[in-house]
Amino acid sequence: MIIDGKQRWARDYLPVKNPATGEEVGRMPMGSTADLDDAVEAARRAFQSWSLTPDAERKQACHAIAAKIEEHAEELARLITAEQGKPLSGPGSRFESAGSAGWAHYTADLELSPEVIQDNNEGRVELHRKPIGVVGSITPWNWPMLIAVWHILPAVRTGNTVVIKPSPYTPLSTIRLVELMNEVLPAGVVNVVTGPDEIGAAMSAHPGIDKMVFTGSIATGKKIMGSSAETLKRLTLELGGNDAGIVLPDADPKQIAEGIFWGAFINTGQTCAALKRLYVHDSIYDEVCRELVTLAENVPMGDGLDEKNVLGPIQNEMQFNRVVELVEDAKARGGRVLTGGAPRPGAGYFYPITFVADVDHGVRLVDEEQFGPVLPIIRYHDLDTIIDKANDNPHGLGGSVWSADVQKARDLALQLECGSAWVNKHGAIQPNAPFGGVKSSGIGVEFGEEGLKEYTTVQTVYC
Ligand code: NAD
């Protein structure tokens, strides 16, 4: 762990295993609540001066972090592959480390200047944005480093200090990231405490933490919200999704297949805003299914360290068992497996790309978030009711409409109840566009100026 700029060792360690092989690739220090207290105290001390550091210096420090990530991009990518499983190639760990550097540079350049709301003979009113204090960050195992960057960079850019707790499945890249950050930041500005879920619970109840930023499941998000109430912590919650994709009858199956495929299966489907329910009009249903199956059978999946692979394993046993369970349930309820449909024998948590046709609402694979390499394909006939049907789900992270008529697709996309809606693509995010969920998928947004504002409080000054 890194606390107050120094390495901190633990008494106990948890093995971290490569999900492609089962091999131990490192060990996670089992931090205690005493370690957490020390980290929060260090962050509170650092806040005294970091919050008053000139904006230009904080901007420069954020660029220096980005440069560190660039300099160590390959090392970090290899760590991510080792602990997370995603391949070095394709939209895998090199993509994640390059994205982390790019995101950090972009966030460094964002500004939140004071605004003048009124300046006339009745007086002057100014709006200032101030850092909140100590930010507690809790991250998941699917994009461990990118999400850490999404949490840490806007926090430190705006003058906050941070204590981050990565997922116990993928702590190694975050520990190294924070170590690199500490080469360019004053001690205590960013600290990492690793350990069991209980450390996360202790963070959200901690009186020394002023804001929580959390990316993970809805169930954990609710717990964090509950325990944050006592100390009235500010919250940004990026939670689960069950994104619908709607294919209109005028879409060209050949043209859209690849976009749908990667929209659903980037990171082997373990992505919050992946396409997780596909609705296809009856008139082109079979053709769309055929195109998708052809793609699935030609995309190499395997050990991430092998450069030819572009899809990796499921990250952990619990998630693997969940995917197995949802597919078995769908089969038992009349789902027709078009390809895949059973675990791959041999080492690692490998489950092939799987399409399940002829399922509908009421089947768990459709109603719940699968978070894995399986996509249910739902047949529909009635265009007038398809938006209501897609919206009939508690999640609200992303959604997409696929059509030859972009204007018509955009009008329908606007009716989807979700934080991000795409036309003829799915899941594409960028550092200048706010991203967040509605309904059960979260509270608040990340990225861009809107995201930066979440790390500030407003002070209105009347003079
Ligand atoms: P998870 O909720 O199980 O764990 C996330 C983190 O929370 C881990 O670090 C874990 O140790 C910690 N945690 C567990 N119990 C806690 C508690 N009681 N209090 C505080 N922290 C606790 O989620 P996961 O399985 O790691 O990630 C998968 C989920 O994350 C999926 O639902 C996915 O959709 C979601 N996700 C959302 C986004 C988004 O931006 N909306 C991005 C990535 C993942």
Side-chain angles (χ1 to χ4, degrees):
M1 296 177 281
I2 309 284
I3 297 174
D4 207 12
K6 296 188 240 359
Q7 290 186 348
R8 168 79 59 105
W9 304 90
R11 205 171 302 146
D12 299 315
Y13 288 81
L14 193 77
V16 178
K17 293 185 178 168
N18 180 341
T21 60
E23 270 173 285
E24 185 174 320
V25 292
R27 294 185 308 151
M28 181 190 79
M30 286 294 265
S32 63
T33 49
D35 294 319
L36 175 65
D37 289 343
D38 290 348
V40 172
E41 205 185 300
R44 290 213 80 77
R45 259 196 321 273
F47 181 74
Q48 300 301 323
S49 49
W50 186 247
S51 58
L52 300 175
T53 299
D55 194 68
E57 269 178 50
R58 292 203 300 249
K59 175 192 279 203
Q60 199 212 339
C62 290
H63 278 304
I65 292 173
K68 281 279 169 200
I69 300 173
E70 276 165 343
E71 200 183 311
H72 293 268
E74 182 66 13
E75 175 201 348
L76 291 163
R78 285 182 180 273
L79 261 184
I80 295 169
T81 294
E83 66 180 353
Q84 205 283 334
K86 72 183 60 166
L88 290 165
S89 309
S93 60
R94 285 187 185 129
F95 169 82
E96 181 165 354
S97 63
S100 300
W103 233 281
H105 274 307
Y106 185 86
T107 309
D109 280 330
L110 287 171
E111 307 269 356
L112 285 180
S113 309
E115 292 168 36
V116 177
I117 292 171
Q118 176 189 302
D119 192 11
N120 57 22
N121 50 14
E122 279 164 30
R124 182 177 165 94
V125 182
E126 297 169 353
L127 185 158
H128 293 260
R129 293 196 172 268
K130 296 182 150 186
I132 300 172
V134 176
V135 172
S137 149
I138 301 179
T139 51
W141 46 259
N142 58 343
W143 293 91
M145 191 166 86
L146 193 56
I147 293 174
V149 164
W150 292 349
H151 288 189
I152 296 171
L153 265 291
V156 299
R157 176 69 189 87
T158 43
N160 302 278
T161 55
V162 179
V163 177
I164 183 168
K165 189 210 79 68
S167 165
Y169 291 116
T170 53
L172 306 178
S173 53
T174 304
I175 296 174
R176 184 67 181 127
L177 175 72
V178 173
E179 191 172 44
L180 292 171
M181 286 180 174
N182 272 271
E183 291 178 10
V184 297
L185 289 173
V189 173
V190 180
N191 308 273
V192 55
V193 176
T194 51
D197 293 349
E198 289 70 38
I199 296 290
M203 284 171 81
S204 43
H206 203 292
I209 293 181
D210 305 285
K211 175 193 166 86
M212 291 298 300
V213 51
F214 169 73
T215 302
S217 64
I218 294 172
T220 307
K222 287 179 180 172
K223 287 184 197 159
I224 289 174
M225 194 169 182
S227 45
S228 294
E230 193 55 41
T231 44
L232 279 177
K233 287 183 177 52
R234 275 57 188 157
L235 291 174
T236 302
L237 302 176
E238 296 289 356
L239 308 178
N242 191 357
D243 294 10
I246 301 171
V247 179
L248 301 187
D250 67 357
D252 176 350
K254 271 198 179 10
Q255 259 186 20
I256 62 170
E258 199 164 339
I260 289 175
F261 185 87
W262 285 110
F265 299 123
I266 181 166
N267 201 24
T268 315
Q270 301 162 109
T271 297
C272 52
L275 203 169
K276 292 176 179 143
R277 297 175 276 153
L278 184 66
Y279 297 82
V280 182
H281 191 265
D282 178 53
S283 58
I284 55 169
Y285 187 90
D286 293 330
E287 219 182 324
V288 169
C289 289
R290 252 196 319 275
E291 292 296 331
L292 288 172
V293 168
T294 306
L295 276 172
E297 289 172 352
N298 287 298
V299 175
M301 175 187 279
D303 188 337
L305 291 171
D306 182 338
E307 302 267 351
K308 77 169 188 305
N309 291 321
V310 293
L311 289 173
I314 294 175
Q315 204 279 332
N316 57 71
E317 188 180 8
M318 202 173 74
Q319 193 57 37
F320 180 81
N321 289 341
R322 178 169 167 79
V323 166
V324 171
E325 189 183 309
L326 289 180
V327 174
E328 291 309 313
D329 178 70
K331 283 192 221 168
R333 316 270 318 258
R336 182 163 54 93
V337 172
L338 303 178
T339 184
R344 205 167 85 177
Y349 300 124
F350 286 101
Y351 198 98
I353 295 294
T354 298
F355 294 105
V356 183
D358 301 338
V359 278
D360 212 325
H361 289 214
V363 173
R364 288 182 62 200
L365 181 59
V366 177
D367 295 346
E368 298 177 21
E369 180 187 36
Q370 67 277 49
F371 216 62
V374 185
L375 186 68
I377 310 181
I378 302 136
R379 193 189 296 266
Y380 76 90
H381 299 85
D382 184 3
L383 250 179
D384 295 335
T385 56
I386 191 61
I387 290 286
D388 286 346
K389 189 162 181 174
N391 285 338
D392 183 17
N393 190 281
H395 298 83
L397 195 56
S400 57
V401 180
W402 304 73
S403 167
D405 182 342
V406 171
Q407 196 55 39
K408 185 163 108 197
R410 175 197 165 271
D411 292 347
L412 286 174
L414 265 168
Q415 296 175 44
L416 286 171
E417 294 169 354
C418 55
S420 299
W422 291 277
V423 170
N424 292 334
K425 55 185 160 202
H426 196 111
I429 51 171
Q430 49 194 64
N432 56 352
F435 172 79
V438 300
K439 303 204 286 189
S440 292
S441 289
I443 292 179
V445 293
E446 297 185 274
F447 315 157
E449 233 178 66
E450 291 301 318
L452 207 61
K453 286 177 182 168
E454 302 236 346
Y455 292 87
T456 65
T457 48
V458 165
Q459 184 176 43
T460 313
V461 179
Y462 304 80
C463 17

